[in-house]
Amino acid sequence: MIRSIFKSSIAILVLISCEEYKNENSDSGSYSFNKGKSGVEMKILSGHNYLIYDTPIKTNFEWTNIDPKTSSIIGTGIRILETKNGVTKTEINVPENILKSDTLYIKLNFRNNGENTRTEFRVPIKTKR
């Protein structure tokens, strides 16, 4: 009895802690991370929620209460174009047959309220048709 209560409590704590860091994805081409009053949102400007192999697609990373100059965006085929007014403009062009799966893992590192924070967006990639 005590073991099952302990296991249930651990499971609930894990779920609550993961909710704060969830990678939200919608059909509109937007991925976001929020923690308190800070956050970052990646918008795929094509309007899709996926990328296309061998096709340069513009994206914006919009930072809220995070200094984009002290942040990093890491992922295959990502080219930073400019950072201005809290928005980092990028172009993503992933060559076909370079990834192990049809998912681009975009890693974000930044300072949030004085502490180093990391998150990851998992963006699906499709082939041209």
Side-chain angles (χ1 to χ4, degrees):
M1 173 86 173
I2 293 176
R3 269 190 164 172
S4 65
I5 292 172
F6 179 73
K7 288 180 183 178
S8 297
S9 298
I10 295 293
I12 290 170
L13 287 173
V14 168
L15 289 173
I16 289 170
S17 67
C18 290
E19 184 176 333
E20 184 176 44
Y21 294 99
K22 74 181 171 183
N23 175 13
E24 295 180 15
N25 149 11
S26 68
D27 293 332
S28 66
S30 177
Y31 295 80
S32 64
F33 166 86
N34 294 298
K35 184 177 180 186
K37 294 181 180 181
S38 302
V40 59
E41 182 176 13
M42 178 187 130
K43 293 183 178 179
I44 300 173
L45 300 183
S46 67
H48 301 293
N49 66 341
Y50 58 87
L51 300 169
I52 301 170
Y53 282 114
D54 296 312
T55 304
I57 296 178
K58 300 225 188 281
T59 59
N60 285 347
F61 289 83
E62 297 178 2
W63 306 90
T64 304
N65 297 322
I66 297 171
D67 183 4
K69 293 177 184 173
T70 61
S71 306
S72 63
I73 302 169
I74 303 165
T76 302
I78 297 175
R79 185 169 64 117
I80 295 177
L81 303 174
E82 74 173 328
T83 299
K84 190 184 310 191
N85 299 326
V87 176
T88 302
K89 296 180 181 217
T90 66
E91 182 178 81
I92 302 176
N93 187 6
V94 180
E96 196 164 1
N97 300 323
I98 200 167
L99 301 176
K100 293 179 183 178
S101 68
D102 290 334
T103 302
L104 177 62
Y105 295 89
I106 300 173
K107 295 176 177 29
L108 304 168
N109 299 310
F110 50 90
R111 294 203 44 88
N112 183 21
N113 297 323
E115 68 180 61
N116 290 328
T117 303
R118 295 179 185 176
T119 191
E120 181 177 83
F121 294 150
R122 295 178 184 114
V123 183
I125 306 179
K126 298 184 178 187
T127 56
K128 288 183 184 180
R129 294 188 181 176

